[in-house]
Amino acid sequence: MSSKLTKRALEESLKRLLLEKPLGKITISDITDDCGISRMTFYYHFQDIYDLVEWSCAEDAARAIAGNKTAETWQTGLLDTFLSLRENKPFIVSIYRDMSREQVERFLVPVVSDLVKDVVDEHAARRSVREQDRDFIARFFAHALIGTVLDWVARDMRDNPQQLVQRIATISDGAIETALDRLEVPGGYVAGSEGNVPEGPLTP
């Protein structure tokens, strides 16, 4: 069995077990017994159950977002993320209850930042904005999106995902472009053109 298939088998066993008991009461032996994989194999791929949880969440989010990371399609990627979370509700709710918010954010921030960064870079294509400023904008909006997602989970996913995404789109429409305009380097090279944006203090 390939490494990816092994990880998937462990993930599926964990999700099945979460239908029966909370994350804090599941052991590695429970998982390996369920999928017929040895403990040694488990430890070859993951340090502990929380490592498996992080991998699973990151993979699910990446799959939901894949192919929808442009200015035209990011809303579809975000909606698919909400729908994927709701489809895995027992898994997600258990994680939210048993792990700290900081732990959850740690593995969601890179995935969501990747989605936002592609959108930011697309809008920055004809602006002279430095890479570190584009990264900052991406992380800023990623934290806002993740906060919205986690609040939704805390409310037992009662809000309609389509309506949530529409609200997010309404609020964020034009906000990325405004942030890029304010951080543009006066007289700098256009981002993506030949050469680099000159160093200097950040613009206010």
Side-chain angles (χ1 to χ4, degrees), residues 20-38:
E20 304 170 4
K21 50 187 173 181
L23 181 63
K25 294 188 176 181
I26 296 174
T27 66
I28 290 173
S29 293
D30 289 336
I31 297 172
T32 55
D33 288 347
D34 181 81
C35 62
I37 292 174
S38 70

Side-chain angles (χ1 to χ4, degrees), residues 117-185:
K117 183 60 162 57
D118 281 5
V119 177
V120 169
D121 284 344
E122 185 175 338
H123 284 301
R126 303 306 302 172
R127 292 177 172 91
S128 50
V129 180
R130 289 184 291 179
E131 182 70 21
Q132 59 262 44
D133 290 334
R134 284 181 271 149
D135 287 342
F136 180 83
I137 292 170
R139 291 183 67 82
F140 178 89
F141 282 99
H143 279 287
L145 291 177
I146 290 168
T148 302
V149 170
L150 293 181
D151 288 345
W152 176 68
V153 173
R155 293 193 301 273
D156 200 37
M157 304 184 180
R158 289 192 298 270
D159 298 331
N160 182 283
Q162 286 86 353
Q163 292 178 356
L164 268 178
V165 171
Q166 184 57 52
R167 288 176 184 173
I168 292 169
T170 299
I171 292 170
S172 61
D173 185 33
I176 290 177
E177 294 95 320
T178 298
L180 287 166
D181 287 342
R182 290 179 176 177
L183 290 174
E184 189 166 9
V185 178

